[in-house]
Amino acid sequence: MSTIGIVCEYNPFHKGHEYQIEQAKAITGADHVVCFMSGDFLQRGMPALADKYTRAEIALRCGVDVVFEIPFVYATSSARDYAYAAVTMMNRLKGIDYIAFGAETDDLQLLSDIAEITVNEPSEVSDEIRRLSASGISYGMARASAISSYLAKNAAAGRTEGFAAYTEDRLNAVMSSPNNILAIEYLAAMTATDSRLKPILIKRISSAYDSLSTESDICSASAIRELLRNGNIESLERHVPEPCYLMLKERYNNIFPIFEDSMSNLLSAARLLCPSDGDISDMDGDLMNRLGKLDINLSFSETAQMLKCRNYTLTHIQRGLLHTITQLHVSDIKHFKQNGWIPYINILGLKKESSSILGTMKKNCGVPLITKNSEINRIDDPASQSMSRYDIKASDIYRNMIYQAYKTNIPGYYKRSVILI
């Protein structure tokens, strides 16, 4: 019996995700699929369209056996930390055999070789990253450019095996795709943690991750979110599996959808009531100074757009604004990393027929496996208590956003139970 691990957001779950699960099981012959899903807030610094329990239940009804939650502090972090945390969770559970992920390319060797460079970064690459960052471009762009240039130059000189067929333009294209970047980070995290996971790369068959085209049944999550922004729930039916559509339609304009501007008042309040002490994640001094000059009454999306510039990606800015709201401190994240990254693992949902694998995981897990939210209070560990407070805060904030949008009062953190189907 073998198990596949998938890192996901499912925002929302669509037919491309269904295809990924089917392909991963066909390739590996695995019996189970276990997902490691972001909670109520996502890596782009945005709230999820639907709450984490709704998305977990949809995943279970669409082919997943167990859903675990990636802690808020990593679910809303950089691609590197997001991937490293997820891989660490899989390593801790000791019951995951494969990690399956999508990318725009099916060249696993290329992605693996790039990942190796990110783990064991040559001084030439490090120097180029510093030079490019100093010129004003974002760190992510600087790193991608530095690695592409390094590989292309060494391939042309015959010093780098396996890259001779790749030009710098081709390598830049590979490293400019968010899906490829995440794939590289998963592979890098596996190398850095000496993981026994076996990577399963599945090439995307849908449009690009940010394409708004809905011509195909399999389209991007961005396109589906745009349909929802336009108030068109019925148009989702052809793009998502039936169980997903039925659940989302049932909850439409009751607790779903939630968009980023639901955080506008929270952002204004945080700016007024919690002046930054310089310790907020993704908010350096320059970004804080620029934020301080903006009108306090701008919406969340307007604020992010006003801050957008060459130095920071929009995603980085959105994360900084979210972390301003949640007061996520850099010092806390540093403490969590120094204490093993993952001090506990929280379960969101489970298929009853798959309960045996959860029992095995709980027995062998290297950290406490939380099956009831109140159990977190019994863990006598400062890192666990501190990290869980961010999870609870994020849950309460999302719950309040639902109430403000729809006047629906969903259960609080300690009143939620694991989804069982």
Side-chain angles (χ1 to χ4, degrees):
M1 185 170 68
S2 57
T3 301
I4 301 165
I6 294 177
V7 187
C8 60
E9 292 183 330
Y10 292 158
N11 190 45
F13 191 103
H14 55 67
K15 289 186 176 179
H17 298 130
E18 185 178 51
Y19 171 83
Q20 182 190 45
I21 291 171
E22 291 170 350
Q23 288 296 301
K25 293 183 79 170
I27 292 169
T28 63
D31 306 279
H32 300 291
V33 174
V34 174
C35 283
F36 298 79
M37 190 183 79
S38 302
D40 291 323
F41 294 89
L42 309 177
Q43 206 257 331
R44 295 178 300 116
M46 307 287 247
L49 287 170
D51 71 276
K52 60 190 179 185
Y53 288 99
T54 293
R55 287 161 37 241
E57 183 174 349
I58 288 171
L60 294 172
R61 295 188 183 281
C62 293
V64 173
D65 294 281
V66 187
V67 181
F68 294 107
E69 180 181 7
I70 300 173
F72 170 82
V73 298
Y74 301 125
T76 62
S77 189
S78 66
R80 175 172 284 187
D81 285 359
Y82 174 77
Y84 194 99
V87 168
T88 300
M89 290 175 73
M90 293 189 196
N91 294 340
R92 292 273 195 273
L93 285 170
K94 298 180 172 58
I96 311 295
D97 302 285
Y98 304 95
I99 177 172
F101 47 85
E104 307 296 341
T105 177
D106 58 2
D107 194 335
L108 179 60
Q109 188 59 55
L110 171 63
L111 297 180
S112 298
D113 288 339
I114 294 174
E116 178 65 30
I117 291 174
T118 68
V119 175
N120 301 298
E121 192 172 272
S123 59
E124 183 179 341
V125 172
S126 302
D127 292 344
E128 182 66 1
I129 291 173
R130 283 192 290 271
R131 187 188 70 79
L132 291 171
S133 296
S135 73
I137 66 175
S138 68
Y139 173 82
M141 291 177 61
R143 190 179 71 149
S145 178
I147 291 175
S148 296
S149 177
Y150 173 83
L151 290 174
K153 183 168 63 176
N154 282 275
R159 294 193 297 269
T160 311
E161 294 183 9
F163 292 98
Y166 296 102
T167 63
E168 187 167 351
D169 287 344
R170 166 63 175 150
L171 290 164
N172 275 326
V174 168
M175 295 196 65
S176 66
S177 161
N179 287 300
N180 290 344
I181 291 170
L182 265 178
I184 290 166
E185 295 298 356
Y186 295 139
L187 294 164
M190 290 166 62
T191 297
T193 61
D194 195 24
S195 176
R196 67 177 186 84
L197 295 168
K198 303 178 185 69
I200 304 298
L201 176 61
I202 299 170
K203 187 176 181 180
R204 285 174 58 96
I205 61 170
S206 60
S207 49
Y209 87 104
D210 58 351
S211 169
L212 300 183
S213 172
T214 56
E215 293 180 4
S216 170
D217 284 1
I218 297 181
C219 64
S220 71
S222 298
I224 294 173
R225 290 193 292 270
E226 194 63 24
L227 291 174
L228 286 168
R229 284 186 189 276
N230 296 328
N232 198 349
I233 184 67
E234 287 79 13
S235 62
L236 266 64
E237 187 170 10
R238 65 178 286 225
H239 302 297
V240 301
E242 183 179 19
C244 177
Y245 176 69
L246 293 176
M247 280 191 63
L248 293 182
K249 187 175 182 181
E250 177 190 16
R251 301 178 191 201
Y252 186 63
N253 284 340
N254 182 13
I255 63 172
F256 152 87
I258 295 293
F259 294 107
E260 66 270 25
D261 280 345
S262 293
M263 297 192 290
S264 297
N265 289 340
L266 292 165
L267 178 60
S268 296
R271 291 177 61 191
L272 287 167
L273 302 175
C274 303
S276 178
D277 57 4
D279 190 32
I280 300 299
S281 179
D282 292 302
M283 291 293 292
D284 62 19
D286 177 57
L287 203 49
M288 286 189 297
N289 289 337
R290 294 177 60 229
L291 176 62
K293 297 175 182 177
L294 297 182
D295 191 325
I296 202 77
N297 293 320
L298 291 174
S299 70
F300 185 96
S301 58
E302 289 171 337
T303 302
Q305 286 294 334
M306 291 288 286
L307 290 172
K308 187 179 178 183
C309 64
R310 191 165 178 256
N311 305 65
Y312 309 97
T313 64
L314 184 60
T315 294
H316 180 109
I317 291 167
Q318 289 166 173
R319 286 202 301 266
L321 296 179
L322 172 61
H323 296 154
T324 297
I325 293 170
T326 58
Q327 292 292 288
L328 175 56
H329 289 101
V330 175
S331 54
D332 283 340
I333 297 175
K334 183 178 180 180
H335 175 69
F336 300 147
K337 291 178 179 180
Q338 290 173 340
N339 285 271
W341 282 72
I342 301 293
Y344 61 86
I345 296 177
N346 186 47
I347 181 173
L348 293 175
L350 169 71
K351 278 185 181 174
K352 293 178 183 177
E353 63 192 52
S354 305
S355 58
S356 61
I357 66 169
L358 183 63
T360 301
M361 287 179 175
K362 189 164 188 176
K363 180 180 179 180
N364 298 320
C365 189
V367 295
L369 190 58
I370 306 299
T371 56
K372 187 177 181 181
N373 285 340
S374 60
E375 292 174 359
I376 192 66
N377 295 322
R378 301 177 198 151
I379 301 176
D380 186 19
D381 169 55
S384 296
Q385 293 299 318
S386 180
M387 184 180 289
S388 69
R389 282 194 288 271
Y390 285 113
D391 290 341
I392 295 167
K393 184 188 294 187
S395 178
D396 287 343
I397 287 173
Y398 195 90
R399 178 171 173 257
N400 179 258
M401 288 164 60
I402 289 176
Y403 184 78
Q404 295 302 323
Y406 302 112
K407 297 299 181 279
T408 302
N409 199 11
I410 67 171
Y413 182 84
Y414 289 110
K415 293 183 179 181
R416 297 304 299 255
S417 301
V418 172
I419 300 292
L420 290 173
I421 67 166

